Amino acid sequence: MAAGLPALMLLLLTGLTAVNAVSTKAACLDTAREAALAASRGEPGVTAGSRSAPSGAEVTIVVEGGRVRATVRAPVRVLGGRLPAVSVVGVAVAVAEPGLPEPQP
């Protein structure tokens, strides 16, 4: 029983970290989608993405021809704060809207 409690705590912390990583990944994907769509319409994509990005996230927009790729990278703390953070990434691609201004990063 005494050896089982630390193992149970470790399993609990690992599970909570996994749930946090999955929810941060979902937030990154949503933010990347918003940023790519905004940039494809000619609006500043980084500004649009930064509004809903998870804390500590980095939003990057790349315009390649008629496509806009938005990448959102955010750190997730592992098992409290003693270990280094894991980085999760969300990527979305959108086609530039015809008849609108050039896509903006």
Side-chain angles (χ1 to χ4, degrees):
M1 173 98 159
L5 191 57
L8 183 63
M9 291 303 294
L10 182 64
L11 186 62
L12 176 67
L13 288 175
T14 303
L16 290 175
T17 300
V19 168
N20 189 19
V22 169
S23 65
T24 302
K25 172 81 171 184
C28 286
L29 286 171
D30 186 46
T31 299
R33 182 184 54 82
E34 288 183 25
L37 287 175
S40 71
R41 293 184 198 121
E43 302 168 13
V46 174
T47 305
S50 296
R51 279 180 258 169
S52 63
S55 63
E58 173 188 332
V59 180
T60 307
I61 304 289
V62 176
V63 179
E64 299 169 333
R67 292 193 172 138
V68 177
R69 185 178 69 227
T71 305
V72 179
R73 184 178 308 270
V76 176
R77 284 281 175 215
V78 180
L79 299 176
R82 297 183 184 261
L83 295 175
V86 173
S87 183
V88 294
V89 179
V91 178
V93 178
V95 177
E97 296 284 333
L100 292 176
E102 281 292 312
Q104 296 182 11

